[in-house]
Amino acid sequence: MSMSPSPSAGQPPVAARTAYAERLSLPWWLWLAGLVAAALLAVEVWMGADGVRAWLPFAVLLPLTAVGLWWLGRIRVAVADSELRVDDARLPVRFVADVVPLDAAGRREVLGVGADPLAFVVQRPWVGGAVQVVLDDPADPTPFWVVSTRHPVELAEAVLTARDARPRVDRTAGGPG
């Protein structure tokens, strides 16, 4: 008898339930620039001194910078289990009215001067594309989500496919709901 859990009869395996997954990590050149800046700052603090000032700036600033850069690139975007997941925020796809892929200019326009202050925005400046997820939920004042992504068309297709794959309930025929 196997000790590993098996998927229940009605559920597909986890891999089949994830339609899209992406991590908004930093590009290599931002890592390089951040660590070089931290090293230069550590050298400025050191300035040829002896004792603790010779090693402490490097021992503190370089690891803190690495943790900070990792933290900036920790955001995950996924479409799984009939939800759009952005970090710890979850949006059931049943509330999605439309999804619009945006390039850098489109993102700038949506988030520009006339931006809606109630919009949910997860924007990373080092990621060029984004999607605008227009919501259809009368109970929620949030008009739309804007989420950075390196693959806006693929994310938009995954959200719309997950939304359209949901079973429809016919409320006029006396169905549940």
Short mmCIF file of all heavy atoms in Angstrom, two decimals, residues 127-157:
data_model
loop_
_atom_site.label_atom_id
_atom_site.label_comp_id
_atom_site.label_asym_id
_atom_site.label_seq_id
_atom_site.Cartn_x
_atom_site.Cartn_y
_atom_site.Cartn_z
N VAL A 127 8.98 44.24 -15.66
CA VAL A 127 8.18 43.36 -16.51
C VAL A 127 7.39 44.26 -17.45
O VAL A 127 6.60 45.09 -17.02
CB VAL A 127 7.24 42.48 -15.66
CG1 VAL A 127 6.38 41.61 -16.55
CG2 VAL A 127 8.04 41.62 -14.69
N GLY A 128 7.59 44.08 -18.75
CA GLY A 128 7.00 44.99 -19.73
C GLY A 128 5.50 44.85 -19.90
O GLY A 128 4.79 45.83 -20.03
N GLY A 129 4.99 43.63 -19.92
CA GLY A 129 3.58 43.42 -20.20
C GLY A 129 2.72 43.35 -18.95
O GLY A 129 3.21 43.32 -17.83
N ALA A 130 1.41 43.31 -19.19
CA ALA A 130 0.45 43.19 -18.09
C ALA A 130 -0.87 42.73 -18.68
O ALA A 130 -1.05 42.68 -19.90
CB ALA A 130 0.28 44.53 -17.37
N VAL A 131 -1.79 42.39 -17.80
CA VAL A 131 -3.17 42.13 -18.21
C VAL A 131 -4.09 42.98 -17.35
O VAL A 131 -3.79 43.27 -16.19
CB VAL A 131 -3.58 40.63 -18.08
CG1 VAL A 131 -2.84 39.77 -19.06
CG2 VAL A 131 -3.43 40.13 -16.67
N GLN A 132 -5.18 43.40 -17.95
CA GLN A 132 -6.23 44.09 -17.21
C GLN A 132 -7.40 43.12 -17.13
O GLN A 132 -7.94 42.71 -18.16
CB GLN A 132 -6.65 45.37 -17.91
CG GLN A 132 -7.76 46.11 -17.17
CD GLN A 132 -8.21 47.36 -17.91
OE1 GLN A 132 -8.00 47.48 -19.11
NE2 GLN A 132 -8.82 48.27 -17.19
N VAL A 133 -7.76 42.73 -15.91
CA VAL A 133 -8.85 41.80 -15.69
C VAL A 133 -10.05 42.61 -15.23
O VAL A 133 -10.07 43.13 -14.12
CB VAL A 133 -8.47 40.74 -14.63
CG1 VAL A 133 -9.60 39.75 -14.43
CG2 VAL A 133 -7.19 40.02 -15.02
N VAL A 134 -11.03 42.74 -16.12
CA VAL A 134 -12.24 43.51 -15.82
C VAL A 134 -13.18 42.62 -15.03
O VAL A 134 -13.46 41.48 -15.42
CB VAL A 134 -12.91 44.01 -17.12
CG1 VAL A 134 -14.14 44.83 -16.81
CG2 VAL A 134 -11.92 44.81 -17.95
N LEU A 135 -13.70 43.15 -13.90
CA LEU A 135 -14.52 42.34 -13.00
C LEU A 135 -16.01 42.60 -13.20
O LEU A 135 -16.42 43.69 -13.60
CB LEU A 135 -14.15 42.64 -11.55
CG LEU A 135 -12.68 42.43 -11.18
CD1 LEU A 135 -12.47 42.70 -9.71
CD2 LEU A 135 -12.24 41.03 -11.53
N ASP A 136 -16.79 41.58 -12.89
CA ASP A 136 -18.24 41.66 -12.94
C ASP A 136 -18.77 41.11 -11.61
O ASP A 136 -19.28 40.00 -11.55
CB ASP A 136 -18.78 40.85 -14.11
CG ASP A 136 -20.29 40.95 -14.22
OD1 ASP A 136 -20.86 41.91 -13.69
OD2 ASP A 136 -20.89 40.05 -14.84
N ASP A 137 -18.58 41.89 -10.55
CA ASP A 137 -19.04 41.50 -9.22
C ASP A 137 -19.69 42.71 -8.57
O ASP A 137 -19.01 43.63 -8.12
CB ASP A 137 -17.86 41.00 -8.38
CG ASP A 137 -18.29 40.51 -7.01
OD1 ASP A 137 -19.51 40.41 -6.76
OD2 ASP A 137 -17.40 40.20 -6.20
N PRO A 138 -21.03 42.75 -8.51
CA PRO A 138 -21.71 43.92 -7.94
C PRO A 138 -21.38 44.17 -6.47
O PRO A 138 -21.49 45.29 -5.99
CB PRO A 138 -23.19 43.61 -8.11
CG PRO A 138 -23.29 42.32 -8.82
CD PRO A 138 -21.94 41.75 -9.00
N ALA A 139 -20.94 43.14 -5.76
CA ALA A 139 -20.64 43.29 -4.33
C ALA A 139 -19.23 43.83 -4.09
O ALA A 139 -18.89 44.15 -2.96
CB ALA A 139 -20.80 41.94 -3.62
N ASP A 140 -18.41 43.92 -5.13
CA ASP A 140 -17.01 44.34 -4.97
C ASP A 140 -16.82 45.69 -5.66
O ASP A 140 -17.12 45.84 -6.84
CB ASP A 140 -16.10 43.29 -5.60
CG ASP A 140 -14.63 43.55 -5.33
OD1 ASP A 140 -14.30 44.56 -4.68
OD2 ASP A 140 -13.81 42.72 -5.76
N PRO A 141 -16.30 46.71 -4.95
CA PRO A 141 -16.09 48.02 -5.58
C PRO A 141 -14.88 48.05 -6.52
O PRO A 141 -14.70 49.02 -7.25
CB PRO A 141 -15.87 48.95 -4.39
CG PRO A 141 -15.31 48.07 -3.32
CD PRO A 141 -15.96 46.73 -3.52
N THR A 142 -14.06 46.99 -6.52
CA THR A 142 -12.89 46.95 -7.39
C THR A 142 -13.33 46.77 -8.84
O THR A 142 -13.93 45.76 -9.18
CB THR A 142 -11.96 45.79 -7.00
OG1 THR A 142 -11.67 45.90 -5.61
CG2 THR A 142 -10.68 45.80 -7.80
N PRO A 143 -13.03 47.75 -9.72
CA PRO A 143 -13.49 47.63 -11.10
C PRO A 143 -12.66 46.65 -11.94
O PRO A 143 -13.18 45.99 -12.83
CB PRO A 143 -13.35 49.05 -11.65
CG PRO A 143 -12.25 49.65 -10.83
CD PRO A 143 -12.36 49.01 -9.46
N PHE A 144 -11.35 46.58 -11.65
CA PHE A 144 -10.49 45.69 -12.42
C PHE A 144 -9.19 45.45 -11.68
O PHE A 144 -8.86 46.14 -10.73
CB PHE A 144 -10.20 46.26 -13.82
CG PHE A 144 -9.57 47.63 -13.82
CD1 PHE A 144 -8.21 47.80 -13.70
CD2 PHE A 144 -10.36 48.77 -13.97
CE1 PHE A 144 -7.64 49.07 -13.69
CE2 PHE A 144 -9.81 50.04 -13.98
CZ PHE A 144 -8.43 50.18 -13.85
N TRP A 145 -8.48 44.42 -12.12
CA TRP A 145 -7.14 44.12 -11.66
C TRP A 145 -6.18 44.43 -12.80
O TRP A 145 -6.49 44.20 -13.96
CB TRP A 145 -6.99 42.65 -11.31
CG TRP A 145 -7.60 42.21 -10.02
CD1 TRP A 145 -8.62 42.78 -9.35
CD2 TRP A 145 -7.24 41.04 -9.28
NE1 TRP A 145 -8.92 42.07 -8.23
CE2 TRP A 145 -8.08 40.98 -8.17
CE3 TRP A 145 -6.30 40.05 -9.45
CZ2 TRP A 145 -8.01 39.98 -7.22
CZ3 TRP A 145 -6.22 39.04 -8.51
CH2 TRP A 145 -7.06 39.01 -7.40
N VAL A 146 -5.00 44.94 -12.47
CA VAL A 146 -3.91 45.07 -13.42
C VAL A 146 -2.74 44.30 -12.84
O VAL A 146 -2.28 44.59 -11.73
CB VAL A 146 -3.51 46.54 -13.67
CG1 VAL A 146 -2.31 46.63 -14.61
CG2 VAL A 146 -4.68 47.32 -14.23
N VAL A 147 -2.28 43.29 -13.58
CA VAL A 147 -1.25 42.38 -13.10
C VAL A 147 -0.12 42.31 -14.11
O VAL A 147 -0.37 42.05 -15.30
CB VAL A 147 -1.83 40.97 -12.87
CG1 VAL A 147 -0.75 40.02 -12.37
CG2 VAL A 147 -2.99 41.02 -11.90
N SER A 148 1.10 42.56 -13.67
CA SER A 148 2.26 42.43 -14.55
C SER A 148 2.46 40.97 -14.93
O SER A 148 2.26 40.07 -14.10
CB SER A 148 3.52 42.94 -13.86
OG SER A 148 3.52 44.33 -13.75
N THR A 149 2.88 40.75 -16.17
CA THR A 149 3.20 39.41 -16.65
C THR A 149 4.11 39.52 -17.85
O THR A 149 4.02 40.48 -18.62
CB THR A 149 1.93 38.61 -17.01
OG1 THR A 149 2.32 37.34 -17.53
CG2 THR A 149 1.07 39.33 -18.02
N ARG A 150 4.98 38.56 -18.01
CA ARG A 150 5.86 38.53 -19.18
C ARG A 150 5.13 37.97 -20.40
O ARG A 150 5.61 38.12 -21.51
CB ARG A 150 7.10 37.70 -18.87
CG ARG A 150 8.04 38.39 -17.90
CD ARG A 150 9.33 37.61 -17.69
NE ARG A 150 10.24 38.36 -16.88
CZ ARG A 150 10.28 38.31 -15.55
NH1 ARG A 150 9.44 37.55 -14.90
NH2 ARG A 150 11.15 39.03 -14.88
N HIS A 151 4.02 37.30 -20.17
CA HIS A 151 3.26 36.66 -21.26
C HIS A 151 1.79 37.06 -21.16
O HIS A 151 0.94 36.26 -20.76
CB HIS A 151 3.40 35.14 -21.17
CG HIS A 151 4.82 34.68 -21.03
ND1 HIS A 151 5.70 34.69 -22.07
CD2 HIS A 151 5.51 34.24 -19.95
CE1 HIS A 151 6.88 34.25 -21.66
NE2 HIS A 151 6.79 33.97 -20.37
N PRO A 152 1.45 38.31 -21.52
CA PRO A 152 0.08 38.79 -21.32
C PRO A 152 -0.97 38.02 -22.13
O PRO A 152 -2.06 37.76 -21.62
CB PRO A 152 0.13 40.25 -21.73
CG PRO A 152 1.44 40.50 -22.33
CD PRO A 152 2.33 39.35 -22.02
N VAL A 153 -0.66 37.64 -23.34
CA VAL A 153 -1.65 36.93 -24.16
C VAL A 153 -1.93 35.54 -23.57
O VAL A 153 -3.09 35.13 -23.46
CB VAL A 153 -1.16 36.83 -25.63
CG1 VAL A 153 -2.10 35.97 -26.45
CG2 VAL A 153 -1.05 38.23 -26.23
N GLU A 154 -0.87 34.84 -23.16
CA GLU A 154 -1.06 33.50 -22.59
C GLU A 154 -1.84 33.56 -21.27
O GLU A 154 -2.71 32.72 -21.02
CB GLU A 154 0.28 32.81 -22.36
CG GLU A 154 0.99 32.40 -23.63
CD GLU A 154 1.85 33.52 -24.21
OE1 GLU A 154 1.75 34.68 -23.75
OE2 GLU A 154 2.60 33.23 -25.16
N LEU A 155 -1.55 34.55 -20.42
CA LEU A 155 -2.28 34.68 -19.16
C LEU A 155 -3.75 35.02 -19.43
O LEU A 155 -4.65 34.45 -18.80
CB LEU A 155 -1.64 35.74 -18.27
CG LEU A 155 -2.35 36.02 -16.94
CD1 LEU A 155 -2.50 34.76 -16.11
CD2 LEU A 155 -1.60 37.09 -16.15
N ALA A 156 -4.00 35.92 -20.36
CA ALA A 156 -5.38 36.28 -20.70
C ALA A 156 -6.14 35.06 -21.22
O ALA A 156 -7.28 34.80 -20.81
CB ALA A 156 -5.39 37.40 -21.73
N GLU A 157 -5.51 34.28 -22.08
CA GLU A 157 -6.16 33.08 -22.61
C GLU A 157 -6.43 32.07 -21.50
O GLU A 157 -7.49 31.43 -21.48
CB GLU A 157 -5.30 32.44 -23.69
CG GLU A 157 -5.27 33.23 -24.98
CD GLU A 157 -4.28 32.67 -26.00
OE1 GLU A 157 -3.51 31.73 -25.65
OE2 GLU A 157 -4.26 33.18 -27.13
#
